[in-house]
Amino acid sequence: MSKIKGLVCKECHKSYPAEAIHVCEYCFGPLEVAYNYDFIQTQISREKIKQGPSSLWRYQDLLPIEGEPTVGLNAGFTPMIHAKNLGAALGLDYLYLKNDTVNCLTLSFKDRVVAVALTRAKELGFDTAACASTGNLANSVSAHAAEAGLRCFVFIPSDLEAGKILGNLVYNPNVIAVDGNYDDVNRLCSEVAGEYPWAFVNINIRPYYSEGSKTLAYETAEFLDWHSPDHAVVPIASGSLLTKIYKGFHEFEKLGIIGAVKTRIHGAQAKGCSPVATAFKNGTDFIKPVKPATIAKSLAIGNPADGYYGIKVARESGGLIDDVTDPEIVNGMKLLAEKEGVFAETAGGVTVAVLKKLAEKGVFKRGESVVAYITGNGLKTQEAISPSLGKPWHIKPSLMSFQDALKALKQ
Ligand SMILES: *Cc1c(COP(=O)(O)O)cnc(C)c1O
């Protein structure tokens, strides 16, 4: 018996074989992996997970690969921080940060989805990896394709941060910078994917790719001694991550790994690209596409593929979706660094700023546990924060020069 049943349409529930397809032929709904949970139930246990590798592959029983993992063997299992200083500033006793700024190989949560996607792509016989990216995905696909010996094409908007462009080039893939925003890049890639037999991790491999995000929920529950938190605060780009964190907690519940899940899943967007937050606040599930204009480029998807499902998850779980301005994002990045020593990219600033906003609105009760997902590393988005940081003191190499500077500081 196999853990993967096949793919199933999220809308009309028509079944498909577990191939490199992502859209239902009948209703154009998105396809999702269907599992044989009765079989998985006989395989999985807390003890087995604990004895597994220190990577996301300790949850292999719930990931959509048939054989053993071959790509991204060290992805996931990142630190969870009990953020006492930031918690005190926000009036929270049990604030935790899931720190994917140090994920392996490329310092963002995308290493999770790419490890799963490219392991599956190899199983399906592909020799070329590709993606449409807002930045971090291209970095991760480039690095893992190098590791896996796959040919690689990454498509990015041409105005990305320098660190994210360099973070592709160093692995020597084919980097295609498109004059347009992410939504233009994505549209182009859907056409390219129709012409070339490549594994586009977030297009034809998307059903497998997106499952990698569930591991953030599994790791959270394991760290919290097999409990789900009261609240989760999750950044939204396409909305996939948010929906899969919800799915991960509920799978663990279904399999008896954890008790009843009451986690309220909150979404975070930048005001300069907040189609999901806007629809949520308007009480509709119709998402009106926008033209992004924000420093949070990794979240800048104006027409988010899973936005509709993200809204559903927030509503079903009792969560909220909120948005913050660019200055609030920068303040969020600084607050996180100054209170917890974590240097996150702009998406982390979005999450922390929304966390702060929700705390100020009284959404969290004092004794409740809150987990904020910090998904990318600050060294990749230096342009966004450097104008608002201090400068070093410049001195001569003498004690007197140092003491003069110290005096000036004290006044
Ligand atoms: C891609 C990305 C996200 C969110 O991705 P979804 O498309 O919503 O799954 C969050 N944070 C960072 C840093 C990202 O690169």
Side-chain angles (χ1 to χ4, degrees):
M1 201 183 275
S2 155
K3 64 184 167 182
I4 306 178
K5 270 194 198 157
L7 300 179
V8 64
C9 173
K10 272 181 103 156
E11 290 304 317
C12 75
H13 308 291
K14 187 178 167 6
S15 298
Y16 292 86
E19 293 169 359
I21 47 175
H22 69 295
V23 184
C24 178
E25 287 170 10
Y26 291 83
C27 75
F28 301 108
L31 303 184
E32 188 171 44
V33 178
Y35 294 93
N36 195 335
Y37 288 110
D38 291 338
F39 173 69
I40 293 170
Q41 180 93 65
T42 65
Q43 303 296 307
I44 200 167
S45 69
R46 288 182 187 176
E47 287 63 38
K48 184 175 166 198
I49 291 170
K50 280 197 267 185
Q51 284 160 16
S54 299
S55 73
L56 55 75
W57 297 111
R58 65 206 275 111
Y59 313 106
Q60 188 180 336
D61 287 329
L62 283 163
L63 293 173
I65 64 168
E66 271 155 337
E68 292 300 313
T70 56
V71 186
L73 298 188
N74 295 301
F77 213 57
T78 54
M80 182 99 138
I81 303 164
H82 185 179
K84 295 189 177 143
N85 304 330
L86 182 57
L90 301 179
L92 295 167
D93 293 323
Y94 303 101
L95 173 64
Y96 300 91
L97 304 174
K98 184 61 174 159
N99 186 7
D100 265 11
T101 70
V102 292
N103 205 359
C104 184
L105 294 167
T106 63
L107 311 178
S108 87
F109 114 86
K110 291 299 194 305
D111 292 330
R112 297 174 183 276
V113 283
V114 171
V116 174
L118 290 190
T119 291
R120 183 63 183 151
K122 285 192 88 168
E123 287 184 345
L124 293 171
F126 286 96
D127 63 9
T128 303
C131 68
S133 176
T134 57
N136 285 312
L137 181 59
N139 292 174
S140 190
V141 168
S142 299
H144 286 94
E147 180 207 343
L150 295 165
R151 200 159 66 119
C152 183
F153 290 83
V154 298
F155 295 76
I156 53 173
S158 57
D159 70 344
L160 278 194
E161 299 93 340
K164 287 198 180 147
I165 294 175
L166 185 134
N168 298 321
L169 294 171
V170 70
Y171 306 105
N172 200 22
N174 300 289
V175 182
I176 296 97
V178 179
D179 289 330
N181 59 32
Y182 172 81
D183 300 288
D184 300 319
V185 174
N186 194 37
R187 210 174 310 114
L188 168 64
C189 284
S190 293
E191 285 183 56
V192 176
E195 293 289 321
Y196 300 89
W198 298 345
F200 268 91
V201 298
N202 56 340
I203 301 176
N204 52 337
I205 306 295
R206 190 173 180 86
Y208 310 98
Y209 154 97
S210 59
E211 291 286 287
S213 295
K214 297 188 306 187
T215 59
L216 274 169
Y218 304 151
E219 289 175 24
T220 300
E222 186 178 353
F223 180 89
L224 295 177
D225 216 3
W226 308 106
H227 290 90
S228 57
D230 296 308
H231 300 268
V233 183
V234 184
I236 295 177
S238 72
S240 174
L241 169 60
L242 181 127
T243 62
K244 296 292 176 166
I245 284 179
Y246 180 80
K247 182 177 180 186
F249 286 132
H250 285 272
E251 282 181 331
F252 259 17
E253 175 185 40
K254 192 182 344 225
L255 293 164
I257 303 282
I258 60 175
V261 173
K262 299 199 189 78
T263 310
R264 294 171 65 186
I265 314 261
H266 307 283
Q269 291 208 295
K271 274 212 200 297
C273 181
S274 60
V276 188
T278 302
F280 180 88
K281 290 183 199 180
N282 289 341
T284 155
D285 51 23
F286 172 73
I287 293 180
K288 191 163 162 252
V290 301
K291 280 227 178 308
T294 169
I295 56 168
K297 295 184 187 204
S298 57
L299 304 181
I301 299 184
N303 188 11
D306 289 301
Y308 165 79
Y309 298 106
I311 289 178
K312 239 172 102 170
V313 159
R315 290 214 177 103
E316 263 173 41
S317 70
L320 300 170
I321 304 178
D322 217 329
D323 49 7
V324 286
T325 63
D326 283 2
E328 288 175 301
I329 293 167
V330 171
N331 285 337
M333 293 167 78
K334 290 169 79 169
L335 187 65
L336 181 61
E338 290 172 26
K339 293 290 180 196
E340 298 296 337
V342 174
F343 182 19
E345 70 146 80
T346 47
V350 171
T351 301
V352 171
V354 167
L355 170 78
K356 180 166 180 273
K357 208 165 156 182
L358 297 180
E360 285 163 1
K361 280 185 182 169
V363 172
F364 313 124
K365 306 224 168 49
R366 183 117 207 168
E368 290 183 331
S369 55
V370 181
V371 179
Y373 291 87
I374 310 300
T375 48
N377 193 292
L379 287 170
K380 293 197 196 185
T381 62
Q382 295 179 38
E383 297 89 331
I385 191 159
S386 59
S388 55
L389 298 181
K391 299 266 178 293
W393 316 349
H394 271 268
I395 65 168
K396 299 271 175 313
S398 73
L399 181 60
M400 199 202 281
S401 178
F402 172 71
Q403 286 172 329
D404 285 346
L406 197 58
K407 248 184 260 154
L409 185 80
K410 278 192 183 142
Q411 281 156 16

